[in-house]
Amino acid sequence: MTKKEATPKKTSSVSKKTTKTTKKKQAQQNADPTQEEITKGIENVLTSLFEMLGKASKWTIIAILAIILLIVGIGYYTLYRVTDASASIEIDQRIGITPTQVKSMKDIGQWEFLSIADEEMIDTTRNGFFTDDQLIRIYYGTLRLGIDMNEVAADWIKKEKDSIVVTLPPIKLLDERFIDEARTKSFFESGKWTDGDRELMYKRAYQRMKDRCMTKENIASAEQNATRQFYQLMRSMGFDQVKVIVNSDGKD
């Protein structure tokens, strides 16, 4: 037996879609009168009024003229509002970024662009009469370089010609307490040492880590990461021309 495959009828669905589309267009046209329609309506009203002038009395003519002036004023006011509204929409489209989007980026707070793990061995010696006391401790820390979005300027993101310009605050150390004291351990210890002695060694390790990691090269690397990430972020928001500037802290 030969099987017959029924061909689905698509004419009715296409017709319904066309009807719906036509109704939507008609609804939009009825909701938003164009300048040409408003002008034509005013001309029709004025034509009818002028035809009445020939048959009216003196006071009726004055009243009609007053009505004409009122209608003309309302017409021009309506045209002005339509033009002004369209201009406002165009400006919003050119800017293309909302206060909500700007706020969401600022709410990120601290933004890390480079993380550096470091360890330092610090030793100290105290000379005695017979023997010398010695203490060697190892310190571990992680230094996080980035920016604080709470420090951006009021105009940190703005439009310049056909580009979006993003100006970021300087790269800085995000957390000053970067030494992990729980991992600090004594490598060698002889003699008696006080908490004050250990505190001095901690400060030496802190400064040595900071000097080793907060270099021009590492700061430049963090700036490059910040530029790249913000560039990709703005591109993902639909901007083609993006310029990212990371301010310098002014230190050599």
Side-chain angles (χ1 to χ4, degrees), residues 35 81-91:
Q35 295 183 13
R81 288 190 62 188
V82 171
T83 305
D84 185 60
S86 62
S88 299
I89 293 173
E90 183 182 355
I91 291 171

Side-chain angles (χ1 to χ4, degrees), residues 51-67:
E51 290 177 354
M52 295 172 59
L53 290 177
K55 305 175 183 179
S57 62
K58 176 182 178 181
W59 293 108
T60 304
I61 293 173
I62 294 174
I64 291 173
L65 289 175
I67 293 172

Side-chain angles (χ1 to χ4, degrees), residues 22-33:
T22 305
K23 288 182 178 180
K24 286 182 180 180
K25 290 182 178 180
Q26 290 177 350
Q28 291 176 354
Q29 290 174 354
N30 293 334
D32 302 324

Side-chain angles (χ1 to χ4, degrees), residues 3-59:
K3 294 182 180 180
K4 295 182 180 180
E5 296 181 357
T7 304
K9 296 181 180 180
K10 299 182 179 179
T11 307
S12 58
S13 60
V14 174
S15 176
K16 289 180 180 179
K17 290 181 179 179
T18 305
T19 305
K20 290 181 180 179
T21 304
T22 305
K23 288 182 178 180
K24 286 182 180 180
K25 290 182 178 180
Q26 290 177 350
Q28 291 176 354
Q29 290 174 354
N30 293 334
D32 302 324
T34 62
Q35 295 183 13
E36 183 179 354
E37 291 174 346
I38 295 172
T39 305
K40 188 176 292 184
I42 294 173
E43 290 177 353
N44 293 336
V45 173
L46 292 176
T47 302
S48 300
L49 290 174
F50 280 124
E51 290 177 354
M52 295 172 59
L53 290 177
K55 305 175 183 179
S57 62
K58 176 182 178 181
W59 293 108

Side-chain angles (χ1 to χ4, degrees), residues 105 110-115 145-149 156 166-172 174 218-235 242-247:
M105 286 187 283
Q110 290 186 340
W111 199 321
E112 178 184 318
F113 296 111
L114 186 65
S115 178
L145 277 62
I147 61 174
D148 190 343
M149 294 300 293
W156 71 280
V166 179
T167 304
L168 302 176
I171 296 292
K172 71 174 189 176
L174 296 178
N218 287 337
I219 292 174
S221 179
E223 289 177 348
Q224 291 176 1
N225 292 337
T227 301
R228 183 178 65 255
Q229 291 187 30
F230 265 89
Y231 177 83
Q232 294 173 348
L233 175 64
M234 301 309 295
R235 287 296 301 271
V242 181
K243 182 179 181 181
V244 181
I245 301 171
V246 182
N247 283 332

Side-chain angles (χ1 to χ4, degrees), residues 168-188:
L168 302 176
I171 296 292
K172 71 174 189 176
L173 185 63
L174 296 178
D175 186 6
E176 294 289 342
R177 299 184 62 85
F178 50 81
I179 291 181
D180 187 354
E181 296 187 52
R183 295 181 61 193
T184 300
K185 58 185 180 182
S186 294
F187 179 75
F188 178 82

Side-chain angles (χ1 to χ4, degrees), residues 85-152:
S86 62
S88 299
I89 293 173
E90 183 182 355
I91 291 171
D92 292 341
Q93 289 174 347
R94 285 202 306 267
I95 295 174
I97 189 167
T98 66
T100 303
Q101 291 172 316
V102 175
K103 185 178 183 300
S104 65
M105 286 187 283
K106 288 186 65 176
D107 288 344
I108 292 174
Q110 290 186 340
W111 199 321
E112 178 184 318
F113 296 111
L114 186 65
S115 178
I116 308 168
D118 188 26
E119 65 177 76
E120 295 291 341
M121 180 180 289
I122 305 297
D123 68 291
T124 185
T125 302
R126 183 174 55 219
N127 297 323
F129 185 77
F130 294 105
T131 60
D132 296 337
D133 297 333
Q134 189 175 15
L135 177 62
I136 303 175
R137 292 172 66 83
I138 301 176
Y139 297 85
Y140 300 89
T142 302
L143 288 78
R144 298 165 46 241
L145 277 62
I147 61 174
D148 190 343
M149 294 300 293
N150 295 316
E151 297 176 356
V152 297

